[in-house]
Amino acid sequence: MHGDQASSIAQNIRVRLIWAGLVLGMLAALLVGFRNLFDWERELADIPALPLATGMVIAGVWFLWLIWPIRSGVRLPAATETSILRRIVVVGLLLRVLMLWSVPALEDDFHRYLWDGAVAANGFNPYGVVPAAATEEGATGVISELAERSGSVHDRINHPHLRTIYPPVAELAFAIAYLAEPWSLLAWRLVCLACEASTLWLLLTLLKEMGRSPLLVMIYWLNPLVIKELMNSAHMEAILVPLVLGTVLLTVRGHLITAAGVLGLAAGTKVWPLMLAPLVLRPLISQPARLAAAVGVLAVVSVLCATPPWLAGFDDTSGFVAYATIWKSNSALFPVLEKFSGSIVSAIGLDAAYAGRLARLAVAAALSTITVAMVMRPISGSEDLIGRVTLLVGALVLLAPAQFPWYLVWVQPFLVLRPVLGLLAATALMPVYYASFYFRAHDIYYIFSDWIVWAIWIPVWLLLLREAWYSRPLSRA
């Protein structure tokens, strides 16, 4: 690249970074400054759901404008990249630190995290404790005392009649936050911030490993959806992401047995990373001894993580059972699939309740087919591996019955390594989800679920189809 051209691109990025920092910082400051508007005590109808959704969409559009010059991974002189990278890291860190003093906007999952952390830190199996039982008439013992000492945390747990759905590695993270400071959202957010720092390091390491521009890290580090979901909402995906990235980095470097162990820990945070096992193990297919060792390590770690919930049992109070059978939200595609399944079920004379199960089975079959297709041919280097991982995790996000904004975080790190326009655009579109609370509060949720949700997903699918049709990955555009 000519010096003048490199200088022009660098200046363009610097200017955009300044403007993006100002706009994203202003929106983050508004979220902090007006945090009282999202207090738990306020009626849902009085919470500014539409302004939140609008602000997040604006932030997403601004983010897409910011990353446009670096989407192709163009390389600049090393000194220039280092200078710009420092600014990216500082801006992203400041935005995250600012969120430490915000109120989680229209999110309450963290109450379950704080409760589970207290239960686990006090030596109890969180999979054997139904939160609601702690305050039932006649309840006594340590669990009841924990509920009393929790302040408002216990009373605000969502789905209190279900046992926890979070696997043991996530529970360990919750317990660490509790031991740092009991019942503290700030302590939990600091745990999330430490994991975000690990994610940043892993992404920069992977970019260096692949010979890519370190400036691509801004696709994750300055992503407003990531910052909102992991620091404001404090979702536990912050714990998951570095474990999945660690698995990929170890796989790229050929440390496949260790990668299998880390993958087991990732699955011990959320179950879905097990989908990546065939890609991690694929290079060992011609090495039976190492393949057996890797499978053994993955199996041991997975069994250890599965034992606590298994011992507690899987009945109607199990969060795992509820999630696998009834959980759905913010999807445009799955309700259509469910209606189609309902017509099949009705035609063969089965109970209508089987429609949802058939639809979920169809999603599982589609993901299994994609996974099998991913491992049919050998993996030819790190670019190929990242491409397959991005496709597989992206398919999971797009086909899942529940499509919450924080689920989109699963694929965001891989967009740093393999940018995909449709999935990047979802950063600006997925926050429309928060508008659903307005419609729910006014008893007109059907307007969102039947119509508005399509405004999120139709553009995403069209962009993905366009990219597939032209076979031009954004990273090569």
Side-chain angles (χ1 to χ4, degrees), residues 45-340:
D46 296 329
I47 292 177
L50 292 181
L52 174 65
T54 302
M56 287 295 297
V57 169
I58 291 171
V61 171
W62 209 256
F63 162 76
L64 294 176
W65 173 78
L66 165 65
I67 66 171
W68 199 252
I70 58 94
R71 70 197 188 280
S72 62
V74 61
R75 298 308 304 262
L76 300 174
T80 302
E81 287 186 339
T82 300
S83 174
I84 296 174
L85 179 61
R86 288 197 188 105
R87 302 180 192 189
I88 292 169
V89 172
V90 169
V91 172
L93 181 60
L94 288 176
L95 290 171
R96 284 166 170 79
V97 170
L98 191 58
M99 290 295 100
L100 295 177
W101 288 275
S102 64
V103 170
L106 292 172
E107 295 296 346
D108 59 6
D109 283 357
F110 69 93
H111 294 113
R112 172 74 75 160
Y113 305 163
L114 300 181
W115 170 256
D116 281 4
V119 171
N122 282 275
F124 293 91
N125 182 354
Y127 306 102
V129 177
V130 177
T135 53
E136 289 179 351
E137 186 175 353
T140 59
V142 176
I143 297 297
S144 181
E145 292 174 6
L146 283 175
E148 292 179 6
R149 294 202 302 265
S150 72
S152 61
V153 169
H154 179 271
D155 295 337
R156 297 176 178 180
I157 296 172
N158 59 30
H159 308 291
H161 296 282
L162 292 176
R163 289 178 283 128
T164 189
I165 191 175
Y166 303 106
V169 176
E171 296 292 330
L172 176 61
F174 304 157
I176 290 172
Y178 176 85
L179 292 172
E181 185 178 349
W183 314 111
S184 170
L185 173 59
L186 178 59
W188 168 244
R189 279 174 164 162
L190 289 174
V191 171
C192 293
L193 184 59
C195 290
E196 280 283 85
S198 299
T199 295
L200 175 64
W201 178 82
L202 286 163
L203 283 171
L204 289 172
T205 303
L206 274 164
L207 287 169
K208 183 177 181 180
E209 196 86 18
M210 299 169 66
R212 307 290 298 282
S213 170
L215 303 186
L216 286 165
V217 80
M218 75 167 71
I219 292 175
Y220 181 89
W221 193 242
L222 297 184
N223 190 312
L225 183 138
V226 170
I227 295 168
K228 198 282 179 191
E229 299 306 332
L230 302 192
M231 295 309 302
N232 171 261
S233 299
H235 282 293
M236 50 75 60
E237 270 69 15
I239 313 300
L240 171 71
V241 170
L243 290 171
V244 175
L245 279 177
T247 300
V248 172
L249 177 59
L250 289 165
T251 304
V252 166
R253 290 181 169 177
H255 305 311
L256 300 178
I257 297 175
T258 307
V262 176
L263 178 60
L265 294 176
T269 307
K270 273 204 168 177
V271 177
W272 70 258
L274 281 177
M275 290 177 56
L276 303 180
L279 291 175
V280 173
L281 300 175
R282 178 63 175 84
L284 297 176
I285 198 166
S286 60
Q287 305 173 53
R290 292 188 68 207
L291 177 60
V295 170
V297 168
L298 177 59
V300 168
V301 176
S302 299
V303 168
L304 288 174
C305 290
T307 298
W310 181 270
L311 291 176
F314 298 99
D315 56 21
D316 290 341
T317 66
S318 169
F320 291 99
V321 172
Y323 187 87
T325 56
I326 63 174
W327 235 262
K328 58 182 178 179
S329 178
N330 203 43
S331 172
L333 181 62
F334 187 77
V336 173
L337 182 59
E338 203 169 28
K339 288 180 182 178
F340 179 71

Side-chain angles (χ1 to χ4, degrees), residues 337-350:
L337 182 59
E338 203 169 28
K339 288 180 182 178
F340 179 71
S341 300
S343 63
I344 295 175
V345 165
S346 176
I348 60 179
L350 291 177

